[in-house]
Amino acid sequence: MMSKGRIPKKPLKQRPNENEPVSAERARKLILEHRAWDGMRILGHLDLSGASELYNLPENLTCESIDISDCPNLTNLPKGLHVTHWIELAGSGITGLGAGHGFVLRWRGVRVSDAIAFEAQSLTGQDILNIENVELRRVAIERLGYETFLQQVGGLIRDRDRDAGGERQLVYIPFEDDEALMVLKVICPSTKHTHILRVPPYMQSCHQAAAWIAGFTNPDDYNPLIEA
């Protein structure tokens, strides 16, 4: 609107007050848009899960808890990070933290030690069998790897057949306090590499397990010309 022949000035956009705490939703947006600042204080839980484009976090960041799961390009935590409760880091690029870091670590919602989070190769199948907490044992098996766990502990064969790659085996490891670990062992026809694929414990045959992996609820509907 004109006023006495003068053009009014456009209102200036307010810059954020960097001393004020920021909501978790806004903080995620600022961080992913590379507009966050060092010393940012965040209200509540900061969810950054699945941010594959995330490479770093601002220094001296403060929040109650933080989820950086499935952020493979985030390989280091920032200097001066303060987290009141826990850090969820499954699938992140973090491969280790300094001794005495003081953070509570979680993997898919389960509290884990540094050994399980970062030093899975130091675990043995027997170490895992001795873990009484069912959820923690599941995470430890995942971290060690199903193939290595089976090699060290052994398993029972429920079914075997053949496909284009050779013999397939449906193998399970029973637990007294948890559902059995069931896997399908298959050989890739082209590379001859053995793949260990986890399937539900109610599988009864290799064909049923292969059908489930392919997304079929009815094994009779699964009739591939070549099964890989």
Side-chain angles (χ1 to χ4, degrees):
M1 179 180 296
M2 299 294 291
S3 176
K4 295 182 180 180
R6 291 177 297 176
I7 300 175
K9 296 180 180 179
K10 293 182 179 180
L12 296 175
K13 292 183 179 180
Q14 289 186 338
R15 298 184 63 183
N17 185 343
E18 298 183 359
N19 294 319
E20 292 294 327
V22 179
S23 71
E25 294 79 8
R26 183 162 180 258
R28 176 185 171 92
K29 179 179 176 63
L30 290 170
I31 290 171
L32 296 185
E33 292 178 352
H34 310 290
R35 296 192 293 120
W37 54 87
D38 291 345
M40 175 181 280
R41 293 189 296 137
I42 299 167
L43 296 171
H45 169 66
L46 176 59
D47 183 3
L48 295 170
S49 60
S52 59
E53 70 277 21
L54 181 65
Y55 286 84
N56 53 63
L57 293 171
E59 294 186 355
N60 300 309
L61 181 71
T62 298
C63 59
E64 290 186 8
S65 55
I66 183 171
D67 186 345
I68 53 173
S69 61
D70 302 316
C71 296
N73 291 311
L74 182 64
T75 57
N76 291 287
L77 294 180
K79 179 181 178 181
L81 175 65
H82 179 76
V83 178
T84 307
H85 298 305
W86 46 263
I87 301 175
E88 168 65 60
L89 46 71
S92 72
I94 307 297
T95 58
L97 297 173
H101 56 75
F103 294 120
V104 174
L105 306 178
R106 300 199 340 181
W107 194 279
R108 307 297 182 202
V110 180
R111 181 169 179 172
V112 296
S113 64
D114 282 40
I116 291 178
F118 306 125
E119 303 169 13
Q121 70 281 356
S122 68
L123 300 173
T124 67
Q126 189 57 52
D127 291 335
I128 294 174
L129 290 177
N130 291 335
I131 297 176
E132 296 183 357
N133 183 288
V134 171
E135 292 184 333
L136 184 59
R137 187 195 305 146
R138 292 175 184 173
V139 171
I141 293 173
E142 176 191 341
R143 298 294 296 127
L144 179 62
Y146 299 128
E147 184 172 2
T148 301
F149 185 63
L150 282 172
Q151 289 174 348
Q152 295 185 4
V153 175
L156 303 175
I157 298 176
R158 176 167 291 181
D159 184 46
R160 54 162 46 103
D161 66 10
R162 299 187 68 84
D163 70 352
E167 185 180 75
R168 297 188 299 191
Q169 293 183 355
L170 187 62
V171 183
Y172 71 101
I173 298 175
F175 297 104
E176 293 182 358
D177 55 354
D178 193 16
E179 65 180 21
L181 170 66
M182 180 80 68
V183 300
L184 179 66
K185 295 177 65 175
V186 298
I187 301 173
C188 176
S190 56
T191 66
K192 300 304 178 183
H193 178 74
T194 298
H195 295 277
I196 307 294
L197 308 172
R198 186 168 187 176
V199 297
Y202 58 80
M203 296 287 114
Q204 297 296 320
S205 70
C206 294
H207 180 77
Q208 181 187 17
W212 181 86
I213 292 169
F216 290 83
T217 55
N218 185 352
D220 294 336
D221 296 334
Y222 180 62
N223 295 293
L225 295 177
I226 297 177
E227 290 186 333

